[in-house]
């Protein structure tokens, strides 16, 4: 298994381009199941989660062709055999987001068998809202041998009002599933308490260019007028706001100035608001045509201040940046209070940050981070994607060497993170566990 070896204390400098968003790309790719025409995507990132989604779609009869345009990756998906309806456990267990094939498969092929995703490191993660929503549209749902088996007794889904709110707010992939199913339903569907995440807006954009009739994406009420069929389309995936936020934290904790290109600043108000309060400044560079893909300068040249952060559904502060902000706030002045309202158990990084000298007290879904003067390098364990990104942030500023084990978690959501941070001046290398041991021994 690969590890990252990070020598902390280097300043960052230069510019980095933000890639297409993983969390936008996964439901976008699943939408290829909704028709038999080619759907071309620009800027799908090269990540293990994306490769798993391609594998899953291939098993469901979707061909994939890659031909870069202007140096940017382009992926064309086309459903060429629509007979298969089974998303098997062997793939679903590697990636929970596989659940987003359920709505498209059911709506287009009339039935679907999708392995029920299990729990994961960040919490329980049920899919009850996805299933209730599909039932409201007329699906019959049964559980058989660990698989969700969905059929449509009436032959076609029927538009209705679907409520997507749960105990922790709206569900993002649940909204994606219902939206993707409702586009082929008979009549009008109103999705109430819909997730407002920018990734849902991106999905709606693709579906509209495929011929769907959708109003209100990005607001808590989405209206979908079902159509009989959809066609091919071309789509550029929105930039990854979580990747952008992670680079912003890297600049903040190392007190550096870097430039981010293709940065979805308009989708990051809650993030830039907290950064500003901490003392990390974000300045848009130039005007750029698309407000979702501008360049910005990130700088921090002062002692960071502690702040309160509460994770919430969009437009609130994203849970997917909680760990990275916690790592950064380990070196701020005073006490920061971080409350996790989406995944109350998402704190596996706390114990690992403590191994690096952080002072964090967790009480239920809240953690109090008391700023310390310095972090020190240590061997630590990546536990999930964003927790691991938090450890990278901490390691960039720690004194000495940090070895982050199990970086396959990072590879799920960050493309070549070590190379891109390296180009900005960080000392970070990927190695096998054995190579890392030699490296550390050689450096004394
Ligand atoms: C998406 O997961 C993201 N994944 C997650 O990103 C992200 O953390 C999450 O949204 C919240 O923003 C993808 O987009 C692929 P939810 P999703 O359904 O849609 C509860 C990352 O690091 N809930 O919006 O699966 C749930 O337990 C990942 O990139 C129900 O109760 O999350 C949670 O408390 C990890 N019943 C809350 O809702 C349901 O049926 C929000 O979860 C569904 C969810």
């Amino acid at each position: 298994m690969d590890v990252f070896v990070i020598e902390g204390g280097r300043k960052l400098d230069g510019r980095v381009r933000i890639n297409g968003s993983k969390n936008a790309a996964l439901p976008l790719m699943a939408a290829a199941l909704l028709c038999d025409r080619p759907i071309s995507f620009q800027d799908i990132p090269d990540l293990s989660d994306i490769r798993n989604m391609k594998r899953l779609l291939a098993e469901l009869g979707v061909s994939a062709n890659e031909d870069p345009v202007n140096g940017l990756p382009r992926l064309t998906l086309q459903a060429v055999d629509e007979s298969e309806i089974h998303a098997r456990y062997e793939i679903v267990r590697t990636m929970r987001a596989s659940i987003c094939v359920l709505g498209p498969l059911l709506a287009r092929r009339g039935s679907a068998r999708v392995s029920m995703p299990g729990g994961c490191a960040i919490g329980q993660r049920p899919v009850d809202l996805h299933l209730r929503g599909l039932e409201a549209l007329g699906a019959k749902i049964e559980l058989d041998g660990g698989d969700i088996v969905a059929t449509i007794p009436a032959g076609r889904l029927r538009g209705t009002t679907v409520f997507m709110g749960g105990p922790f707010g709206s569900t993002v992939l649940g909204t994606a599933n219902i939206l993707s199913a409702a586009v082929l339903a008979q009549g009008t569907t109103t999705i109430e308490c819909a997730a407002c995440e920018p990734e849902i807006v991106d999905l709606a954009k693709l579906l509209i260019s495929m011929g769907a009739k959708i109003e209100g994406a990005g607001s808590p009420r989405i209206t979908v007028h079902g159509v009989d069929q959809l066609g091919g389309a071309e789509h550029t995936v929105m930039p990854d706001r979580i990747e952008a936020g992670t680079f912003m934290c890297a600049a903040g904790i190392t007190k550096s100035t870097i430039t981010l290109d293709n940065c979805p600043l308009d989708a990051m108000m809650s993030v830039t608001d907290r950064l500003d309060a901490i003392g990390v400044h974000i300045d848009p560079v130039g005007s750029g045509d698309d407000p979702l893909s501008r360049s910005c300068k990130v700088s921090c040249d002062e002692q960071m201040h502690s702040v309160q952060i509460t994770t919430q559904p969009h437009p609130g502060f994203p849970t997917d940046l909680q760990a990275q902000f916690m790592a950064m706030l380990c070196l701020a002045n005073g006490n920061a209070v971080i409350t996790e309202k989406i995944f109350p158990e998402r704190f596996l990084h706390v114990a690992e940050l403590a191994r690096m000298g952080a002072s964090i007290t967790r009480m239920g879904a809240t953690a109090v981070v008391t700023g310390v003067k310095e972090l020190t390098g240590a061997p630590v364990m990546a536990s999930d994607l964003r927790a691991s990104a938090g450890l990278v942030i901490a390691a960039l500023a720690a004194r000495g060497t940090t070895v982050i084990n199990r970086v396959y978690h990072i590879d799920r959501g960050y493309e070549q993170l070590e190379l891109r941070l390296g180009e900005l001046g960080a000392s970070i290398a990927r190695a096998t566990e054995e190579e890392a041991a030699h490296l550390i021994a050689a450096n004394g």
Side-chain angles (χ1 to χ4, degrees):
M1 263 189 277
D2 284 357
V3 304
F4 277 172
V5 182
I6 301 176
E7 201 65 47
R10 304 261 186 106
K11 284 225 179 214
L12 305 182
D13 184 25
R15 62 198 309 149
V16 64
R17 181 183 183 278
I18 302 304
N19 288 326
S21 156
K22 164 183 87 79
N23 287 348
L26 293 168
L28 288 171
M29 291 168 74
L33 292 163
L34 285 167
C35 68
D36 59 2
R37 308 305 304 153
I39 316 283
S40 292
F41 297 104
Q42 290 243 12
D43 225 5
I44 294 262
D46 184 13
L47 302 167
S48 57
D49 270 12
I50 298 290
R51 289 190 286 275
N52 280 328
M53 181 55 95
K54 276 190 220 161
R55 216 153 54 90
L56 175 58
L57 291 174
E59 288 204 357
L60 295 170
V62 177
S63 70
N65 277 304
E66 289 174 57
D67 60 327
V69 178
N70 300 331
L72 285 181
R74 182 170 73 168
L75 170 72
T76 301
L77 298 175
Q78 183 171 10
V80 288
D81 173 359
E82 299 188 272
S83 56
E84 185 56 73
I85 56 145
H86 190 183
R88 294 180 308 120
Y89 180 60
E90 284 62 34
I91 299 190
V92 175
R93 71 176 178 175
T94 62
M95 184 184 58
R96 295 192 86 267
S98 309
I99 189 71
C100 56
V101 301
L102 178 61
L105 264 187
L106 179 66
R108 169 77 183 175
R109 300 188 185 177
S111 56
R113 186 178 189 105
V114 177
S115 178
M116 177 83 124
C120 79
I122 66 176
Q124 205 191 351
R125 307 192 70 187
V127 292
D128 56 311
L129 298 169
H130 302 232
L131 304 187
R132 254 183 27 207
L134 291 174
E135 277 173 341
L137 290 172
K140 182 171 167 231
I141 308 274
E142 288 169 323
L143 200 64
D144 177 36
D147 290 341
I148 300 159
V149 181
T151 50
I152 312 175
R156 185 170 174 189
L157 295 174
R158 298 252 161 97
T160 186
T161 298
V162 178
F163 185 74
M164 282 283 99
F168 303 98
S170 311
T171 159
V172 181
L173 289 182
T175 301
N177 248 330
I178 301 307
L179 177 59
S180 304
V183 290
L184 287 181
Q186 190 170 35
T188 298
T189 301
T190 308
I191 309 177
E192 295 284 3
C193 202
C196 301
E197 268 65 7
E199 293 76 16
I200 295 293
V201 179
D202 210 32
L203 173 62
K205 265 191 204 165
L206 168 69
L207 293 170
I208 289 168
S209 58
M210 290 168 73
K213 295 194 164 46
I214 301 169
E215 293 145 23
S219 80
R221 176 181 293 157
I222 304 178
T223 307
V224 186
H225 305 286
V227 296
D228 290 340
Q229 60 177 13
L230 297 170
E234 296 200 0
H235 184 81
T236 300
V237 182
M238 68 166 286
D240 196 318
R241 61 194 170 105
I242 306 303
E243 186 182 86
T246 303
F247 276 105
M248 288 170 180
C249 290
I253 200 166
T254 56
K255 295 210 167 41
S256 303
T257 300
I258 62 173
T259 301
L260 306 185
D261 293 322
N262 197 40
C263 181
L265 270 189
D266 276 26
M268 298 181 69
M269 297 294 276
S270 60
V271 176
T272 52
D273 173 73
R274 293 297 74 195
L275 285 169
D276 194 53
I278 292 168
V280 180
H281 305 294
I282 310 294
D283 298 301
V285 180
S287 56
D289 288 342
D290 184 351
L292 271 181
S293 57
R294 289 187 179 145
S295 298
C296 65
K297 192 176 84 171
V298 187
S299 59
C300 177
D301 52 14
E302 54 184 291
Q303 173 59 38
M304 292 184 289
H305 313 290
S306 285
V307 294
Q308 289 199 18
I309 292 177
T310 301
T311 67
Q312 286 170 326
H314 191 77
F317 188 91
T319 172
D320 291 346
L321 281 172
Q322 182 253 107
Q324 301 88 318
F325 270 69
M326 183 182 290
M328 181 171 60
L329 289 166
C330 287
L331 291 181
N333 244 344
N335 294 316
V337 181
I338 299 181
T339 302
E340 177 54 70
K341 288 211 168 163
I342 307 292
F343 296 113
E345 298 299 320
R346 196 177 200 178
F347 284 113
L348 285 176
H349 40 288
V350 168
E352 301 302 305
L353 289 170
R355 289 178 51 72
M356 301 176 70
S359 170
I360 304 171
T361 310
R362 185 187 158 192
M363 288 163 290
T366 295
V368 177
V369 185
T370 303
V372 292
K373 284 220 155 43
E374 69 168 14
L375 294 170
T376 49
V380 289
M381 191 68 79
S383 56
D384 75 85
L385 168 58
R386 308 303 174 186
S388 321
L391 296 178
V392 172
I393 302 295
L396 291 174
R399 179 169 54 79
T401 309
T402 298
V403 177
I404 304 181
N405 290 282
R406 299 196 182 166
V407 297
Y408 61 84
H409 287 293
I410 296 178
D411 296 334
R412 294 186 51 197
Y414 294 92
E415 187 177 333
Q416 299 192 320
L417 185 62
E418 74 281 20
L419 298 184
R420 292 156 80 209
L421 282 171
E423 275 166 19
L424 291 174
S427 168
I428 171 169
R430 182 184 290 265
T432 61
E433 284 168 73
E434 258 182 16
E435 286 165 349
H438 286 306
L439 212 67
I440 291 164
N443 289 343

